[in-house]
Amino acid sequence: MTETAGLTFDVEALRQRYADERARRVRPEGIAQYVEISGEFARYADDPWADDTTAREPRTDEIDVAIIGAGFGGLLTGARLRELGVESVRLIDRAADVGGTWYWNRYPGIACDVESYVYIPLLEELGYIPEEKYSKGAEIFAHCRRIAEHYDLYRDACLQTDVHEIRWEAGTSRWIIRTNRGDEMRAKFVSMANGYQAKPKLPGIPGLGAFGGHTFHTSRWDYGYTGAKLENLAGKRVGIVGTGATAIQCVPHLGAAAGQLYVFQRTPSSVDVRANAPTDPQWASALVPGWQRQRIQNFQILTAGGQAAEDLVADAWTSITRKLPVMRHDGDGSVDPEQRGRDIEIADFAKMEEIRARIDGIVADRATAEALKPWYGYFCKRPCFHDEYLETFNRDNVTLVDTRGRGVERITESGVVVDGVSYELDCLIFATGFEVGTDYCRRTGFELIGRDGVSLTERWSDGVRTFQGLCANGFPNCFIESISQAGLTVNFPYLLDVQATHAAWVIAWALEHGATEVEPSVAAEAAWVDTVVTRSAATAERAATCTPGYYNREGKADAKTRQGSFFFGTPTEYADILETWRATGDLAGLDIRGVDS
């Protein structure tokens, strides 16, 4: 027995339990177990928020910068370009408004799970303070629109527009953007801000299309069926497949509204305290200029294993380094790496024992409580936070159907079958997340074709290759915002702003100096890739022991996955590298053509 942080647990027994739980969930098909939303399932991607498609004439004009995607990434890129004086900027998005994930996802209970004061970007720039510590989706969507209005990004935007192809035209050094509207726009620069998780996916359950009742994906919530306040679910039998971050937020609302709710679980999420609260007006009135940047940096440092004199956010995200100091980076390198690895494992066990103990303290039924316990490392799946999810399973009308890692057996015309038991349903909801790890063009819905007609899918067939996690050789004047080969964070808007700031700076520099082409050299790209692969070794080893999920390609992580991982380093190293590179000003690693003398 080992005693750590006030808890007593058997380390070997936990290692074995984690391994056993992982083994029962690993499937030979990996991410191929999921079904693409296309063909007979295309309707799951239909836009429920757009009244119609506004008619317009096809565009064949030329712009300086085309930004593909109008979520936080696109908005931040547009904002940073505007701040640098770039006026010819066009947002292009299939949605009918800006917002990205906050446009599409409007399920009941949706809110940010990272503190709103660090998650929502450009608060100081727009003079806005969120209403709560963890803002609800409607407030975040409204702020997205506020950003677009403040930076005049609606001007010349092409919304409700599906990109079909983006192709490099070498003779003119322009990108040709073709869309479903008959557009053939020409752009000097393209910024790909499509989002990390943009395309919904469905589970590969036998009989997926057989259900005769009503069904939809959580990212396209059907309020026409459920009612605006879910009042139409009274007396109805509702099933939800999936227990990730989305389900954690909407299950309490479904449980309160439905006649009977069945929650079909393959792998439970870790659910820690969220402790939401209204914004303290006295705190808000005392804020000084620079407060948000300072708070974002503080949160990034603490959640990426760094040390800080003060924890400004002080929530469950930062608790793992606050309560378990061994998780922090050892600044002087004096600790033996193997001993540090063991210490981190023990600290992680202690944190997860705390998570499991919380379940015992809330869920009344012992069998349900046991089934809700996660048996894997804290960061094997995205940690979740909620103050009503676990309590929902104390309701008489809510049943957890634990599939013990095997998933739903099949779907029938009348409902769902698990272990030979049929659950009759009126409504079946898929909270099964988004595509991760599939080919780039499959996730975007179009192909990016660079020099010599080579597509990005072909170029990355053996793994992601970038310079600075943003641009690729063979694709000049193109910036690809992605988590691949970029800095580690749990606060994605932070990373998006780091990348948007950098891409905007390079674009503005090129436009000012008359550069016709900006492209990473083969050598610079190779050096960045090698660094990513080398630094990801330890993390890849730990991921191999994790329960299957989108973090490790459903337990099938390989060398290709490792190459496309984060740029691991000290908490703010990635951002620091880019900032230092800009300050140096020599644009090292880029091949630049056509600069004015």
Side-chain angles (χ1 to χ4, degrees), residues 307 325-326 328-344:
Q307 301 185 51
V326 71
R328 299 174 187 159
H329 281 279
D330 175 40
D332 60 10
S334 61
V335 176
D336 174 68
E338 290 189 10
Q339 181 60 48
R340 175 172 168 74
R342 289 191 291 269
D343 290 345
I344 288 176

Side-chain angles (χ1 to χ4, degrees), residues 514-580:
T516 56
E517 295 182 15
V518 177
E519 180 181 1
S521 68
V522 172
E525 182 185 79
W528 190 269
V529 172
D530 288 346
T531 301
V532 169
V533 172
T534 299
R535 292 188 178 200
S536 64
T539 304
E541 184 177 339
R542 288 195 293 272
T545 66
C546 276
T547 194
Y550 68 82
Y551 280 10
N552 64 356
R553 287 178 61 90
E554 296 297 334
K556 293 291 184 179
D558 52 17
K560 184 176 178 180
T561 310
R562 179 176 165 186
Q563 185 171 313
S565 68
F566 285 109
F567 180 95
F568 290 102
T570 55
T572 61
E573 183 175 357
Y574 176 70
D576 294 341
I577 287 172
L578 300 190
E579 187 172 357
T580 300

Side-chain angles (χ1 to χ4, degrees), residues 281-298:
Q282 289 187 324
W283 169 82
S285 64
L287 293 172
V288 298
W291 72 267
Q292 190 183 26
R293 179 175 174 81
Q294 179 188 15
R295 197 175 186 91
I296 289 171
Q297 290 286 102
N298 180 262

Side-chain angles (χ1 to χ4, degrees), residues 416-464:
V416 167
V417 178
V418 176
D419 283 342
V421 178
S422 295
Y423 297 86
E424 305 294 302
L425 303 173
D426 299 299
C427 176
L428 179 59
I429 302 169
F430 292 110
T432 45
F434 303 86
E435 290 202 10
V436 176
T438 51
D439 286 342
Y440 187 79
C441 72
R442 171 168 159 171
R443 284 179 281 130
T444 61
F446 61 87
E447 191 58 88
L448 182 69
I449 303 170
R451 288 192 187 280
D452 303 318
V454 177
S455 70
L456 190 65
T457 298
E458 293 171 310
R459 184 76 171 84
W460 285 359
S461 60
D462 294 325
V464 174

Side-chain angles (χ1 to χ4, degrees), residues 220-239:
R220 306 292 192 272
W221 195 273
D222 190 350
Y223 283 105
Y225 176 83
T226 67
K229 297 182 179 180
L230 309 192
E231 67 275 9
N232 295 346
L233 297 183
K236 286 190 168 61
R237 301 161 299 176
V238 178

Side-chain angles (χ1 to χ4, degrees), residues 117-229:
Y117 317 126
V118 301
Y119 177 82
I120 302 177
L122 303 172
L123 292 178
E124 277 199 83
E125 289 86 342
L126 273 65
Y128 183 77
I129 301 294
E131 298 173 4
E132 299 174 277
K133 189 173 177 69
Y134 301 96
S135 294
K136 295 179 175 61
E139 183 181 12
I140 302 173
F141 178 38
H143 187 73
C144 291
R145 301 182 68 182
R146 191 178 297 116
I147 292 171
E149 290 165 355
H150 180 85
Y151 289 98
D152 197 18
L153 296 174
Y154 282 118
R155 184 215 324 166
D156 211 28
C158 289
L159 301 174
Q160 289 184 270
T161 300
D162 257 318
V163 173
H164 283 177
E165 178 188 87
I166 303 179
R167 182 182 292 269
W168 178 251
E169 187 177 77
T172 61
S173 297
R174 297 290 187 269
W175 288 101
I176 311 302
I177 304 162
R178 296 182 172 90
T179 77
N180 65 323
R181 301 293 202 99
D183 302 311
E184 289 196 10
M185 313 172 211
R186 307 168 70 81
K188 295 179 182 177
F189 291 87
V190 168
S191 178
M192 308 294 290
N194 314 73
Y196 306 145
Q197 296 185 32
K199 185 175 182 179
K201 68 176 187 283
L202 294 170
I205 301 172
L208 179 62
F211 183 58
H214 197 78
T215 181
F216 55 87
H217 191 279
T218 49
S219 67
R220 306 292 192 272
W221 195 273
D222 190 350
Y223 283 105
Y225 176 83
T226 67
K229 297 182 179 180

